[in-house]
Amino acid sequence: MNQKNNMYILIVTGLSGTGKSNALSALEDMGFVCADNLPCQLVNEYLDLCANCENEITRVALVLDSRESVFGYNPLSTYNELKSITYPYDIMFLECEDAVLKHRYSETRRPHPMNNDVSIGIAMERAMLAPLKEKANYIIETTNMTPIELSRTIEGILMRGENVPLRLIISSFGYKRGIPYNADYIFDMRYTPNPFYVEELRLLSGRDDEVKEFVFSDPAVCRQLDMIVDMLKLVIPEFKKQGKRRLMISFGCTGGRHRSVAMAEALHDRMAGEYQVMLEHRDLVTEADDIKERFNAR
């Protein structure tokens, strides 16, 4: 963190719908004094007010995003305004997949600030905020994050010291629903026999012992698991040296219910004792519903 006059400034920006409000709530819980949608030309005055406050303010977070456009600003001029700030600051940029942003807007039924057509609005906003993203000190991918996970990620980024734990996310998915946008490593499990074609295993999942035994009866799967564990033990310390605080390992199979789940579970069990590990199965429930629907229709 940069500091001056015992006050740390964090500029939070990013695409609409990526969780900036949740980020601001998390920062408030961490002791930040927060301001949302503050016009950029008022930032210096606001920071002076914080610096001269009778109550000592040590952390300030400001949300600046595409809503600046209502004041006639564009990101380049906004960034020029930011450069005039007399206090050191960092920029945190929140990112997310287009499909997830569209889903979030459909759930809330709120209009996109850039355009009534959400797809067009997202594209416009991406282009508008690209210069700020290039200047960001931290980029957080929120596609698969819950508010709690976002809060923990922000806390991990802003914690001082060398002992900040790297959060290892191990996930499974089905290729027929697309690969995860924010995975660092993706491993394809479709090379090994599919439990789906074994009648007594079809309705089970990779969490069940019978499916795990079937998947790991293939010696190649056992070797792959050992190799991935060795690889992670090699690269994780190097990633931490580079300041990375989150690493996502994803396993994919056809539907995301059997082979990928079994491998993700096994890797989780191998790594949980050494690292902060989170396990998620993106398509496990959806694929179960699809299987039941397909076979009930026959």
Side-chain angles (χ1 to χ4, degrees), residues 96-162:
C96 184
E97 284 184 17
D98 285 7
V100 174
L101 290 176
K102 293 175 186 177
H103 179 67
R104 290 174 182 174
Y105 271 101
S106 68
E107 283 187 329
T108 62
R109 298 184 180 179
R110 295 180 61 187
H112 193 280
M114 300 299 297
N115 195 286
N116 288 332
D117 186 314
V118 173
S119 297
I120 295 175
I122 292 172
M124 291 173 61
E125 192 172 40
R126 279 196 185 280
M128 174 176 283
L129 295 178
L132 287 179
K133 183 177 180 179
E134 290 179 3
K135 303 295 184 181
N137 303 88
Y138 314 108
I139 298 177
I140 300 178
E141 169 60 59
T142 70
T143 297
N144 294 318
M145 281 190 182
T146 64
I148 292 177
E149 291 165 1
L150 176 58
S151 176
R152 289 174 179 169
T153 298
I154 293 173
E155 183 177 355
I157 288 173
L158 298 180
M159 283 174 61
R160 297 183 182 183
E162 297 298 324

Side-chain angles (χ1 to χ4, degrees), residues 168-238:
L168 183 62
I169 302 171
I170 301 173
S171 73
S172 67
F173 69 94
Y175 275 96
K176 69 182 186 181
R177 295 181 181 85
I179 64 174
Y181 179 80
N182 55 337
D184 296 288
Y185 292 98
I186 293 178
F187 296 97
D188 192 338
M189 298 302 301
R190 290 176 295 182
Y191 70 86
T192 191
N194 192 348
F196 175 84
Y197 296 109
V198 180
E199 186 173 354
E200 58 268 27
L201 300 179
R202 183 173 296 138
L203 296 180
L204 301 179
S205 78
R207 286 178 166 176
D208 294 303
D209 290 338
E210 297 91 333
V211 174
K212 291 179 181 179
E213 291 174 6
F214 179 89
V215 172
F216 283 94
S217 66
D218 184 345
V221 175
C222 298
R223 290 198 301 271
Q224 183 188 22
L225 177 60
D226 289 338
M227 293 172 66
I228 292 172
V229 170
D230 290 341
M231 180 202 73
L232 290 176
K233 289 182 178 179
L234 173 68
V235 302
I236 285 176
E238 302 305 316

